Amino acid sequence: MQSITKKRTKAFLIDLAISSVVTVGVEYVLRKKVKTEVVHALVTPTVVMWALEYAQLRQNGQTIGYKKMGLALESEDGTKLTSAQLIKRIAYRDTVSTFDYVKNPKSFEKQQGEILPHDHFSHTNVKEI
């Protein structure tokens, strides 16, 4: 694995840990109102993770994990990241990108790990800062 790919993986794990802590708090409040276990097992963690990631990337192009690892998300053309780009990137990464990896793992190492399939799909790239 390339250096930037390792950093991206570590950043994702940091963000996942933070999201998990927030999810515990949200579930504590929701358990009293929502009795369906599927919501607590599938919907809440996904919504919390996506919302945190979207808000952080929209604010400054970095999540807490990216900041700790010295990474930043940028638009391919250098413009400010758009909402559509962020939503496409997050949704693609958590759905179709898994199948892309199983089909062709080498595509995940293009350009030293700066552009993964979900980055290509949303016209973004990750740079070291």
Side-chain angles (χ1 to χ4, degrees):
M1 255 200 286
Q2 300 291 335
S3 170
I4 195 165
T5 306
K6 289 179 184 177
K7 285 184 176 184
R8 288 178 75 152
T9 302
K10 289 176 185 176
F12 181 76
L13 293 174
I14 291 168
D15 293 335
L16 184 62
I18 292 167
S19 173
S20 297
V21 170
V22 173
T23 299
V24 168
V26 170
E27 281 186 5
Y28 178 77
V29 173
L30 285 180
R31 286 235 179 250
K32 297 172 185 172
K33 297 178 183 183
V34 179
K35 301 296 180 194
T36 309
E37 195 59 35
V38 172
V39 171
H40 300 296
L42 299 174
V43 177
T44 304
T46 302
V47 169
V48 168
M49 175 93 172
W50 286 21
L52 286 173
E53 185 174 2
Y54 175 83
Q56 292 175 65
L57 290 173
R58 188 77 174 129
Q59 278 294 92
N60 58 7
Q62 290 180 302
T63 61
I64 294 170
Y66 273 33
K67 193 175 286 188
K68 293 284 184 200
M69 291 292 113
L71 301 172
L73 183 69
E74 300 174 342
S75 184
E76 278 182 348
D77 57 6
T79 60
K80 187 175 179 183
L81 293 166
T82 65
S83 296
Q85 279 180 305
L86 296 175
I87 292 167
K88 285 169 68 173
R89 181 179 188 276
I90 294 168
Y92 191 89
R93 182 198 62 220
D94 289 350
T95 55
V96 180
S97 187
T98 304
F99 300 113
D100 285 347
Y101 182 76
V102 171
K103 283 188 337 191
N104 186 10
K106 293 195 187 290
S107 70
F108 277 68
E109 286 299 323
K110 288 182 183 173
Q111 299 171 346
Q112 287 73 44
E114 289 181 6
I115 301 176
L116 298 179
H118 52 277
D119 295 319
H120 179 70
F121 181 74
S122 63
H123 305 291
T124 60
N125 56 12
V126 175
K127 297 282 185 185
E128 289 183 292
I129 53 171

